[in-house]
Amino acid sequence: MLFLFQFSVTTNENFPGSTGFLDDPVFFALTMGAILVLILMGGIFLLRAFVRSKHRQSKAFHRVVLQILVPKEKKTEGATQNSSTEDRLEQVREEVGLTETIFATIAGLHPQHGFMHWLRGRNDHFAFEIIAHNNLISFYIAVPKKMQQFVEQQIHAQYPYAEIEEMIDYNIFTEKSTIVGAYLDNKRKDIFPFKTYKKADSDPLSPLLNVLAKSHVENSSLAIQYIIRPAHHRWRRKGVQIVRDVKKGEKFESIAHRSSFGRFMHKFFKEFRKSYEKKDASMQHEKYQLSAMEEEMLKGIEEKLSKGGLDVCVRLLSSSDNPEMAKMNLDNLSNTFSQYNLYRYGNEFLVMVPTKQSLLISDFIYRSFNEKRKTVLNTEEMASMWHLPLHSTEAPNIKWLSARKAQPPANLPKAGLLLGHVNYRGTDVKVFMKDADRRRHLYVIGKSGGGKSVFIENLAVQDIKNGKGVCVVDPHGDFVEYVLEHIPKERADDVIIFNPSDLERPVGLNMLEAKSEDQKDFAVQEMIGIFYKLFPPEMIGPMFEHNMRNVMLTLMADLSDPGTIIDIPRMFTDDDYVKIYLKRLKDPVVRAFWEKEMAKTSDFHKSEMLGYLISKVGRFVGNEMMRNIMGQQHSSFNFREVMDKKKILLINLAKGTTGEVNAKLLGMIIVAKLQMAAMARADIPEDQREDFYLYIDEFQNFVTDSISTILSEARKYKLDLIIAHQYLGQLMDDKGKSAIKDAVLGNAGTICTFRIGPEDAEIMAKEFAPTFGAYDLINVEQFTAYTKLLIDNTAAKPFNMQTYPPLKGNRELANAIKELSRLKYGRDKSIVEAEIMERTKLDQGTSESKDDMIEASL
């Protein structure tokens, strides 16, 4: 227009009499109109640049940053060690193909178009990022808020066990950081393919991850950012035209880089040449023959065009306190992308380091799409450059998902005992357990510190607040103290505390106290089993069982005035004392033991037998604490009454104050007593039996082989067990037999597994297969348990459950309840000792020789 204006002026000056262009009103109007159009278009483009700049920040704040974590399986779970190279490559391709499916869904979205999107810029792009920061490699996706649910659904569809965490944006910069960045651009046209995972000999992401893993020195960070969006379908047109031209006989190299104008001119001259050749029929035109490589590359172009296209802007960013390190890390990372290059007939990446770094950094932070640095990749190429780590990925410092998660059962109970909650894919569901299912017992296993104790403590407190009957057997003391702090005031009178370390007011516990004739044999058999647990098997034999059974049955002859374990030494040293019990003895077999067998045994053999037998009970007779507890003829509380009236029985067997052996003995006696009381409930109808909940922490210390009977039969009498311990090896006896372990795993209805060791994980994985594997059981988070819940007497599909944290209690109320219990159920130490000495005559002997035997045995 300026040229026309100048030409018009020059013409008027040189030819004064002539009529210039400007004198023509039509031409003048057209000229001014064109100038106005140019000014208007320039204004529109300036307005567009301003609007886009204004909206860039608002777009960034309307995005959600999602961190994607996937579980790291053992290598043997993905591809076995004996697999061939081809099998392993096929496994890699299958796994990378999962991510390609995600990109295919994005490529299938309808690209934004219209004037408003042209003016403000498209906002349908996603940011796929790999970040190496704080010595960890993390995978992120930044998506528009309205597309968050869509992306999460696509990820979970391909990676069911992936965890998607919405988070506050990360920051890889510091005040001292030197930041350098670069773009990756394609050397040739978009339709030329890059090398993909289907043609690679290994996972193409591995070299990138290894570079990222080594970037943590000197406070360094690295970032790979892919800004992608669905491409318009017109990107394929050039490729389709090239393929057609080559198939018509054109030289591949001559048309590969031809522009649209060049294509038009070529077509024009081609038509002209055809008309010339028609005039001269003698001229022959030889058709160009494609080479094998050109045919292969033509096939590659067609394959690229056959898949969904994505507009991609690739940014690399390096940050470090050391400028040289920042540049070196960027060079190493950018050089690694050369693995995707297909030279000559394919495409190559060019590293473009802009002079003005501030714009690149700003675009990185805002995750803006740079139209000038756009390239088109298909879904296969994109998946080759960004995909979630594979099972076979061995690059260090990747942030893996520690353990898999699974959806909770759809038929979870809506009421009952609250076990925990499941936060799965944005939905939080509470986990309840019905009372009927609790009768099949709850088994908890987990390493120390995993949250096992807090879990069962909260369950016990719930039962107490719900008015249930509860017994807690605690080998450490913390469990009992926690429960005491949470007992409601209205239930203070229901509490019975058994604390052996309270020497001033000992609570009586007599194992040889039976309420009926039927309970005698059970009590004796349990006591024999207890001795087998307390001593090595070689120290307990048939003779010990025979003699000890007859002695204990004799002491239990009178149900209203029974003997105790403390009386056993005197039974072997004082014939007159034996006669007192023989008067009440009705069992002829036991009477024959004393009148025929023992009466005919010489003093020498008696002395040998005495030392052998009394040595097993001597440690309890000689211990003041144990003697004052077990030497009382009548227990301080009635176990049957505790169960039927829904009392709260708290057994504090802290090993530090009670002693390990003493704690084991007392714990086993209490468990046996509760089992006896439960079996005695046969005298009332089942619908009148109240549920009673027995909590045993470190339960392997307090049960005998009869645990199988409790697990299988006690549920009929509504004695419901909640048992916990640390590892399965604790359930094996000294000979390596697994009777208790088999009984627990075979009978426990509900299983909660916190973090366990590798050996246990191999066994417990069979209970949770195929949903979870051994790797998950080893790496489960703290205060999280894999749960196999019994629902309506049917085992549900396993899931992982988060438990609730401990609650703050009332220490003053706990102390008051302690004092109330010890005054109600404890007895004055001096009175107890006087009664024991009077009955057992432990402070005096009947004859000198027998005194010597007792002294030697003790």
Side-chain angles (χ1 to χ4, degrees), residues 656-674:
T657 55
T658 306
E660 185 173 357
V661 176
N662 295 336
K664 287 181 68 174
L665 173 62
L666 292 171
M668 285 188 284
I669 290 175
I670 288 168
V671 173
K673 281 280 193 180
L674 286 168

Side-chain angles (χ1 to χ4, degrees), residues 674-687:
L674 286 168
Q675 185 179 358
M676 288 170 58
M679 299 301 184
R681 285 179 154 190
D683 60 0
I684 60 174
E686 185 173 350
D687 58 349

Side-chain angles (χ1 to χ4, degrees), residues 641-856:
E641 184 180 327
V642 168
M643 296 181 68
D644 291 345
K645 293 187 177 181
K646 298 191 287 187
K647 300 284 187 178
I648 303 168
L649 178 59
L650 305 179
I651 314 297
N652 187 346
L653 299 177
K655 295 177 182 179
T657 55
T658 306
E660 185 173 357
V661 176
N662 295 336
K664 287 181 68 174
L665 173 62
L666 292 171
M668 285 188 284
I669 290 175
I670 288 168
V671 173
K673 281 280 193 180
L674 286 168
Q675 185 179 358
M676 288 170 58
M679 299 301 184
R681 285 179 154 190
D683 60 0
I684 60 174
E686 185 173 350
D687 58 349
Q688 295 180 19
R689 301 166 193 165
E690 297 286 352
D691 282 292
F692 188 80
Y693 301 99
L694 174 57
Y695 290 82
I696 314 177
D697 196 9
E698 304 299 340
F699 80 100
Q700 76 282 351
N701 294 320
F702 309 121
V703 296
T704 62
D705 292 342
S706 65
I707 184 67
S708 58
T709 305
I710 302 177
L711 290 168
S712 61
E713 297 182 16
R715 65 185 180 88
K716 302 173 185 176
Y717 306 104
K718 298 188 179 178
L719 174 61
D720 310 334
L721 269 61
I722 300 90
I723 51 179
H725 72 125
Q726 295 182 19
Y727 57 94
L728 292 174
Q730 295 171 320
L731 307 185
M732 309 290 286
D733 62 17
D734 295 335
K735 292 185 178 180
K737 294 182 179 179
S738 59
I740 295 179
K741 183 188 78 172
D742 297 339
V744 171
L745 295 181
N747 289 289
T750 298
I751 300 175
C752 291
T753 302
F754 289 80
R755 185 177 298 169
I756 55 179
E759 293 183 3
D760 292 346
E762 294 295 333
I763 298 172
M764 296 304 297
K766 298 174 183 177
E767 295 284 343
F768 294 91
T771 309
F772 302 114
Y775 180 88
D776 302 306
L777 301 179
I778 295 170
N779 294 283
V780 65
E781 298 93 341
Q782 191 179 26
F783 304 116
T784 303
Y786 284 112
T787 304
K788 189 176 181 181
L789 182 65
L790 198 70
I791 303 176
D792 295 328
N793 208 31
T794 303
K797 185 180 178 181
F799 59 96
N800 54 334
M801 171 186 71
Q802 291 81 46
T803 60
Y804 291 104
L807 304 172
K808 187 177 180 181
N810 188 335
R811 171 47 41 192
E812 293 181 0
L813 179 60
N815 292 333
I817 293 174
K818 278 185 187 179
E819 191 62 28
L820 176 63
S821 175
R822 71 191 297 267
L823 291 175
K824 286 179 64 176
Y825 299 100
R827 298 179 66 201
D828 187 83
K829 174 183 176 182
S830 59
I831 297 175
V832 172
E833 287 181 341
E835 289 180 356
I836 292 173
M837 292 304 170
E838 181 182 354
R839 190 179 75 255
T840 62
K841 308 296 183 183
L842 287 175
D843 55 343
Q844 50 185 299
T846 57
S847 69
E848 184 178 349
S849 60
K850 291 179 180 179
D851 286 344
D852 293 338
M853 286 190 291
I854 295 176
E855 185 178 353

Side-chain angles (χ1 to χ4, degrees), residues 105-114 117 122 124 147 229-233:
T105 59
I106 295 176
L109 297 174
H110 191 63
Q112 290 180 346
H113 61 280
H117 291 299
R122 289 172 58 179
D124 57 348
M147 300 296 290
R229 68 186 186 191
H232 286 284
H233 63 276

